[in-house]
Amino acid sequence: MAATILLIDDEARLRQLLARILQLEGYTILEAENARAGLKVLEREEVQLVISDVKLPDKNGIDLSAQIKELYPATEIIVLTAYGTISDGVTAIKNGAFDYITKGDDNDRIIPLVSRAVEKANLQFRIKQLEQQVSKRYGFERIIGRSKPIHQAIDLARKVAVTDTTVLLTGETGTGKEVFAQAIHQASPRRTGPFVAINCGALGKDILESELFGHRSGAFTGANRDQKGLFAEANKGTIFLDEIGEMPLDLQAKLLRVLETHEFLRVGDTKPTKTDVRVIAATNRGLEEEANAGRFRLDLYYRLSVFSIELPPLRDRRDDISDLANQFAQQEAAKVGKRDVRLSPVFLLKLQNHRWKGNIRELKNVIERAVILADAPSNGPIELTPDLLPYDMQEGLLPNDPTALDLATVEQQHIRRVLRQTNGNKTETARLLGIGLTTLYRKLQEAGIGE
């Protein structure tokens, strides 16, 4: 991989000689006569390696190496001097320099040393690019919305992300709580650590306890080996506990101990295990009411709700529906190999007028269904029209035949359309229509639609 090298030395002849040698090796060379000029170059150019003299007119090269590593951690530095000492070499390495060599005595070392330094720098730049891609994929940038309610939630999440505070995300089902949890993790100092998630309502008590805290071999029937558990897996990172309101009361006590002491007991173990983990919890229940009713520990509620963020339902974010729908439509079209998608004005109007009890998750499912059902034209983009929406969103729509206004005819026409789209696959047709296969067969028989 090609690399750019910055030479910082006040001796022009030495810079030019070293530049020619390195250019013959295929490197791009930049030059600076002092530390100030070198830092200016680094501000505007991506540099893999800096080779700097120790004695510069305006700064010591060893001190400069520390400054460069602080500002540009992926860039490597080789310190070059006419009079090397062991103490200077040790200081340079401590300051982050890749190596320290003496002018003249180390001519044979320069090329292989530069090669190793560039190889390390290129690896670090690739890691940096991957981290940026992960941040873009899971960070706050992926949260679509320009409405005031969602911006207020994002602003709160950004502020708490840089701390280590426990966060409670509240809101209806499908409002994007896990997306927010991932974004908070990516914006936190723990971003390089693991992010693990578990739905506390999806597992039985014993399985949930084992998944969260782990178990010792032989702790119960079927426990044939040790298991770490998610609190151990998430060490130095973040654990996301979705549907925390569904957690059994005795497990809530164990969770409270983790939050207060940063340690837990594996099932079947007698020695506590330490963990350094941030907890983000989420619920669509009113936990305070649940606690008052005796279904949730009040002390755990207070511990979890140190910083609470309520995510707005989609019906309070109507300005965002168009952007979300367009994004989902393009994503779903790409999945099924269709060209670009256009959403008709009436289609969008129907979306904006819907109540969205399932919020963003429901919207995504509706768009996926519409994209699958849409006929692909020979040229031009696919158009999503109101007749591709579920029945409960089609109120006021007319069938293709203006003389056929009865509900049964409208339903039959839509079933025929879906059957054509699925090439007669009745199982897939029933899934897209949101009805049982038996119901579909009955409707086909009533309508006289052949096998």
Side-chain angles (χ1 to χ4, degrees):
M1 180 176 177
T4 299
I5 299 175
L6 171 62
L7 305 179
I8 306 176
D9 200 314
D10 58 336
E11 296 183 36
R13 290 181 60 188
L14 180 62
R15 283 202 320 270
Q16 292 164 6
L17 175 62
L18 189 53
R20 283 198 295 271
I21 293 172
L22 294 174
Q23 283 169 341
L24 290 174
E25 297 296 321
Y27 298 114
T28 299
I29 305 300
L30 305 173
E31 299 183 36
E33 69 278 6
N34 55 48
R36 183 178 179 183
L39 291 171
K40 288 288 185 183
V41 172
L42 289 169
E43 285 179 9
R44 64 176 187 268
E45 301 285 349
E46 186 176 88
V47 174
Q48 280 71 39
L49 174 63
V50 174
I51 300 178
S52 174
D53 191 13
V54 167
K55 289 191 174 183
L56 297 171
D58 55 348
K59 198 177 189 75
N60 182 283
I62 295 175
D63 295 335
L64 177 62
S65 65
Q67 185 177 358
I68 291 173
K69 288 302 287 186
E70 182 177 355
L71 294 172
Y72 311 100
T75 299
E76 291 300 327
I77 305 150
I78 294 175
V79 177
L80 196 62
T81 183
Y83 307 100
T85 66
I86 293 176
S87 62
D88 279 350
V90 170
T91 304
I93 300 300
K94 283 184 177 179
N95 284 357
F98 182 80
D99 210 337
Y100 175 93
I101 58 175
T102 305
K103 294 179 182 178
D105 295 339
D106 296 291
N107 289 339
D108 293 338
R109 288 186 58 204
I110 284 286
I111 298 304
L113 184 61
V114 165
S115 178
R116 293 199 303 274
V118 165
E119 184 179 359
K120 182 181 177 183
N122 282 335
L123 177 60
Q124 291 175 157
F125 271 92
R126 284 196 293 270
I127 292 171
K128 181 181 176 183
Q129 289 171 352
L130 288 172
E131 288 175 346
Q132 290 171 345
Q133 290 172 10
V134 169
S135 179
K136 185 176 180 180
R137 183 175 180 183
Y138 295 109
F140 287 108
E141 295 77 10
R142 74 182 285 214
I143 301 175
I144 300 169
R146 47 189 168 175
S147 63
K148 185 177 179 181
I150 196 65
H151 270 284
Q152 288 175 337
I154 291 172
D155 287 344
L156 287 173
R158 285 187 185 276
K159 288 176 182 177
V160 77
V162 296
T163 73
D164 217 24
T165 302
T166 300
V167 180
L168 178 64
L169 301 174
T170 63
E172 297 177 9
T173 297
T175 48
K177 292 186 280 291
E178 184 165 354
V179 172
F180 263 78
Q182 289 175 330
I184 290 170
H185 172 72
Q186 286 300 322
S188 77
R190 295 176 177 269
R191 67 179 66 89
T192 57
F195 175 89
V196 298
I198 187 169
N199 187 325
C200 299
L203 301 172
K205 172 190 169 298
D206 293 338
I207 297 176
L208 179 60
E209 182 177 17
S210 180
E211 286 295 313
L212 287 174
F213 305 109
H215 61 253
R216 291 291 302 272
S217 177
F220 51 84
T221 303
N224 300 320
R225 57 184 178 83
D226 287 357
Q227 178 172 308
K228 288 178 67 175
L230 295 182
F231 271 102
E233 294 286 351
N235 192 46
K236 302 298 181 182
T238 302
I239 187 168
F240 174 56
L241 304 176
D242 199 7
E243 302 298 345
I244 189 70
E246 307 291 336
M247 180 178 283
L249 282 167
D250 48 351
L251 292 190
Q252 292 177 28
K254 293 192 72 168
L255 174 59
L256 182 62
R257 180 184 180 186
V258 176
L259 293 172
E260 292 179 341
T261 67
H262 302 288
E263 62 181 30
F264 60 91
L265 281 174
R266 290 190 299 172
V267 178
D269 210 344
T270 56
K271 182 180 179 182
T273 300
K274 285 283 187 182
T275 186
D276 174 16
V277 64
R278 181 188 201 167
V279 173
I280 301 177
T283 182
N284 57 11
R285 293 188 179 190
L287 288 190
E288 189 170 10
E289 291 78 8
E290 292 289 302
N292 292 332
R295 292 186 294 268
F296 198 83
R297 291 183 63 109
L298 191 59
D299 48 2
L300 178 59
Y301 167 69
Y302 289 139
R303 191 67 181 79
L304 289 172
S305 61
V306 173
F307 198 99
S308 183
I309 303 173
E310 184 172 2
L311 304 190
L314 192 55
R315 60 183 172 275
D316 292 343
R317 301 175 52 194
R318 297 197 183 277
D319 292 344
D320 299 334
I321 289 176
S322 176
D323 291 339
L324 286 164
N326 275 291
Q327 177 76 9
F328 293 151
Q330 299 302 330
Q331 290 173 352
E332 295 304 326
K335 286 181 184 177
V336 297
K338 294 184 177 180
R339 64 184 81 232
D340 287 342
V341 181
R342 175 182 176 273
L343 281 62
S344 76
V346 180
F347 183 88
L348 281 173
L349 184 62
K350 289 287 180 182
L351 296 182
Q352 289 168 338
N353 289 336
H354 188 57
R355 288 289 294 169
W356 297 115
K357 294 180 181 179
N359 294 291
I360 298 171
R361 186 180 296 124
E362 182 187 357
L363 173 62
K364 191 173 188 299
N365 291 341
V366 165
I367 296 298
E368 179 183 5
R369 177 183 187 276
V371 169
I372 292 172
L373 291 176
D375 293 325
S378 56
N379 52 59
I382 297 167
E383 184 174 40
L384 301 188
T385 51
D387 57 311
L388 301 173
L389 293 168
Y391 291 139
D392 65 330
M393 297 178 66
Q394 291 190 35
E395 183 181 355
L397 294 180
L398 295 178
N400 295 332
D401 179 1
T403 65
L405 300 180
D406 62 287
L407 184 60
T409 303
V410 174
E411 182 181 76
Q412 290 167 18
Q413 287 183 357
H414 189 58
I415 290 174
R416 285 189 173 94
R417 172 192 282 272
V418 179
L419 275 170
R420 287 197 302 272
Q421 182 66 34
T422 62
N423 295 319
N425 185 324
K426 294 180 179 59
T427 301
E428 179 66 7
T429 297
R431 187 187 74 82
L432 292 172
L433 290 171
I435 61 176
L437 188 58
T438 304
T439 302
L440 175 62
Y441 274 107
R442 176 174 57 78
K443 289 182 179 293
L444 291 175
Q445 187 177 23
E446 290 172 355
I449 301 175
E451 294 296 323

